[in-house]
Amino acid sequence: MASALRHVWMTTGIAAAILLCGRDGQAEPPAAGAAAMCDGAYADDLGTLSARAREFDRHPEATFSYCTRNRAEYECLSYDADGAILRQRKRAVMHGTAFAYRRQGDDILLLTNEHVAVWPAVTDAQHVVDGVPSGCKRVSESLTLVDDETDSYARDDVAVTRVVSDPQLDVAVLKTRGDLHVMPWKIGRSDALRERNLVEVRGFPLGAFRATSIGKVISSHDRDEEGSWSHDDFVVDALLSPGNSGSPVLAISCLTGEYELVGVFHAGYVGSSALNVVVGIDQVRDLMTTLKREPQGGDGTPAALALPDRDRLQSALAPLHQLFFPFGNRTATVIGRSDGALLFLVYPKEFPFNAEPTWVVEDRPSPAAGAFGAAGQLWLASGGALHGYEIAKLDPEARALFDKALLALRTDAVANATLRQSKEAERGSRQSSDKARRAGRALAKIAASRAELVQAIDDLPERQSSARDDRRVRLADIVAPPPPAASPAAGAALANVPPREGRAEGLDR
């Protein structure tokens, strides 16, 4: 699908343990005469909805979707006529929908869209925030459940926190200890949906009020690879609006006559109010249960790195001993040093006009058999020059960030090297060309997901000054291999060499 056609809808419980079953504990069968509208897993018409499901919708417990308000504050830097730095704060607010799906101990878990729950770490051309200029950094963020977008009484707002988010799926799990009603319906199967199946969407259009929208599945499968997304959608014709993002999408089971959760609404098509796309629930089920994001590498991205991956990367560096690749909103390069070390350099946004790296990471050959490498030294730009940072002196949070950055640099460099080699080896066929194009798109999405990590590393010089060596370091000295260490025997032999005749010892040049 052309990227110009898709856009994101973004906006300016206590669980009811109600069992919709008969006295024998079995689900109530659908209404009589419903078979004609139920020849698959899900119904084509509301007439198949069971009487008990209809009755439940009249109870307060049927309300399990909530209006979500996400506030953020950004810091924007600029310069006055004298060159002094000006700091300006910009605030942003958006409303969406989240729905409670499970009680876990004292917590209630809710599901929504990632784009509702997470503001961009830094604004740029790919991460636009209304009213906030490009190049601003997020400094605060808060998530609450409110009555609607006009709710200004903060005392009854319910604070929620983000548990896990997945940008590729565009979903996020939130949690709270508020008094909320939880969806009683089971999680269904989005792969069982067929065209003409009926769906209900329960959310907050425009963030203004709670509403239920009805529609039909008009396409049961649609691959979504817009921006950083990479998942399967289905398309519905329900009339939805900004604020519906994160709404539960329900279908009626032909087996039980009850609702089942089949997806999460997340986007629409530009220029159409009735063509909207839903993330299929089959891909979200594990995240809802484990509360952990599954690793999702693209084509050519290794799941785990080992010595063969390092060999492949070093092979791809020839003959220039260097490979450029995207990393967040920056350009990175890996350089092979003659002593076997790899140097990862990340450049500023102005590259190539400014070719001085903002940070350099050394990756040495590992003494452990089969391992990819071992963390070496770290240099960060501070005060217009590179300074060394002693990794052992980084606080635990900064050390974890460094380890994450090194792993990301290794992974992305190997993936781009693999893609380059596959393009060279498989030229000439339509299949190999399509495979390379898909791999390129996947790597572009992975690169875009590194923006927050890049910003966090850029902030380290201010937070970790105690680990900094005040001596300035030249990039040429980092790239040059260190001199070999002299052996004790060699040192003793040199000590026994007599000075040259006619020259003062130590003055020979």
Side-chain angles (χ1 to χ4, degrees):
M1 174 177 299
S3 60
L5 295 180
R6 180 103 63 181
H7 70 95
V8 183
W9 282 127
M10 293 181 67
T11 72
T12 55
I14 295 178
I18 297 180
L19 301 177
L20 304 180
C21 302
R23 294 182 179 178
D24 58 355
Q26 299 298 315
E28 179 189 351
M37 305 303 294
C38 248
D39 57 354
Y42 294 106
D44 295 344
D45 189 87
L46 276 172
T48 58
L49 190 63
S50 70
R52 280 186 292 272
R54 292 174 185 272
E55 179 62 25
F56 175 78
D57 275 344
R58 299 187 181 97
H59 290 270
E61 291 85 355
T63 300
F64 49 83
S65 292
Y66 301 92
C67 185
T68 305
R69 176 179 291 164
N70 194 350
R71 298 179 183 271
E73 188 171 34
Y74 283 84
E75 183 178 66
C76 307
L77 302 182
S78 59
Y79 298 90
D80 65 12
D82 297 327
I85 297 177
L86 302 177
R87 299 177 183 269
Q88 188 177 18
R89 294 294 177 102
K90 296 283 188 179
R91 292 182 174 86
V93 180
M94 68 174 159
H95 293 87
T97 301
F99 62 97
Y101 70 90
R102 186 202 302 165
R103 178 179 288 279
Q104 184 169 284
D106 294 331
D107 294 327
I108 292 176
L109 301 179
L110 303 98
L111 194 64
T112 187
N113 287 145
E114 190 263 353
H115 76 257
V116 170
V118 183
W119 288 96
V122 178
T123 57
D124 55 27
Q126 287 75 43
H127 304 88
V128 178
V129 175
D130 289 343
V132 180
S134 182
C136 298
K137 182 177 73 172
R138 187 188 70 218
V139 294
S140 68
E141 184 176 21
S142 65
L143 272 165
T144 55
L145 304 181
V146 296
D147 294 337
D148 52 50
E149 67 171 355
T150 64
D151 183 2
S152 59
Y153 185 70
R155 294 185 63 180
D156 63 352
D157 293 351
V158 178
V160 293
T161 57
R162 192 169 59 244
V163 178
V164 61
S165 62
D166 191 323
Q168 290 183 299
L169 289 177
D170 192 25
V171 295
V173 175
L174 314 176
K175 72 176 180 179
T176 184
R177 295 196 172 186
D179 185 12
L180 305 179
H181 299 303
V182 177
M183 179 185 71
W185 316 115
K186 66 178 288 188
I187 299 175
R189 292 170 41 233
S190 52
D191 66 354
L193 288 168
R194 295 162 57 172
E195 294 178 11
R196 296 185 297 279
N197 284 162
L198 180 136
V199 291
E200 279 194 9
V201 185
R202 304 187 181 192
F204 283 80
L206 306 178
F209 51 84
R210 182 179 291 107
T212 297
S213 303
I214 305 293
K216 294 274 190 175
V217 175
I218 63 172
S219 177
S220 59
H221 181 267
D222 180 47
R223 184 65 186 168
D224 195 341
E225 294 188 339
E226 297 298 314
S228 61
W229 298 336
S230 180
H231 60 260
D232 292 330
D233 286 333
F234 59 90
V235 186
V236 301
D237 63 1
L239 293 173
L240 303 172
S241 304
N244 272 119
S245 288
S247 298
V249 179
L250 308 170
I252 302 172
S253 169
C254 286
L255 181 64
T256 65
E258 297 174 3
Y259 293 109
E260 291 185 0
L261 178 68
V262 292
V264 182
F265 167 68
H266 85 121
Y269 284 85
V270 172
S272 174
S273 61
L275 286 178
N276 298 298
V277 288
V278 180
V279 182
I281 203 64
D282 293 346
Q283 305 152 99
V284 187
R285 191 188 316 270
D286 288 345
L287 185 83
M288 296 169 68
T289 303
T290 65
L291 306 182
K292 294 180 180 179
R293 181 186 173 193
E294 292 294 322
Q296 298 183 29
D299 293 343
T301 303
L305 296 177
L307 184 58
D309 298 303
R310 189 184 187 92
D311 294 340
R312 187 184 309 116
L313 177 55
Q314 288 180 316
S315 175
L317 300 181
L320 300 177
H321 306 289
Q322 190 171 19
L323 171 73
F324 286 92
F325 59 96
F327 195 72
N329 55 356
R330 308 289 185 83
T331 298
T333 186
V334 54
I335 298 173
R337 210 164 59 186
S338 60
D339 63 344
L342 298 173
L343 294 173
F344 294 99
L345 285 66
V346 178
Y347 295 97
K349 294 178 182 178
E350 298 80 15
F351 180 84
F353 300 104
N354 181 358
E356 296 295 326
T358 54
W359 35 296
V360 182
V361 180
E362 182 186 44
D363 191 342
R364 299 170 180 164
S366 174
F372 181 91
Q377 291 182 264
L378 170 67
W379 295 270
L380 299 173
S382 178
L386 286 172
H387 294 269
Y389 282 73
E390 193 172 339
I391 297 176
K393 290 185 177 180
L394 298 176
D395 63 37
E397 182 180 354
R399 178 56 197 264
L401 185 63
F402 167 76
D403 292 339
K404 183 178 179 181
L406 178 56
L407 177 60
L409 287 165
R410 289 170 171 173
T411 301
D412 291 9
V414 170
N416 280 274
T418 303
L419 177 60
R420 173 189 285 189
Q421 292 171 329
S422 66
K423 283 182 176 179
E424 295 174 352
E426 299 178 2
R427 288 177 179 171
S429 78
R430 173 74 174 266
Q431 184 178 7
S432 61
S433 177
D434 289 344
K435 181 180 178 181
R437 186 164 55 253
R438 289 194 301 271
R441 287 200 301 265
L443 291 181
K445 292 172 185 175
I446 293 172
S449 71
R450 309 297 195 198
E452 192 164 353
L453 177 61
V454 170
Q455 183 62 52
I457 294 291
D458 283 348
D459 291 341
L460 276 185
E462 296 180 10
R463 296 166 39 208
Q464 302 293 316
S465 58
S466 61
R468 182 177 64 203
D469 187 335
D470 290 334
R471 291 173 297 178
R472 296 189 172 200
V473 181
R474 296 191 310 158
L475 180 60
D477 294 332
I478 298 174
V479 175
S487 66
L494 289 173
N496 293 326
V497 175
R500 297 183 185 182
E501 186 176 351
R503 300 285 184 101
E505 185 177 0
L507 297 180
D508 188 13
R509 300 190 184 279

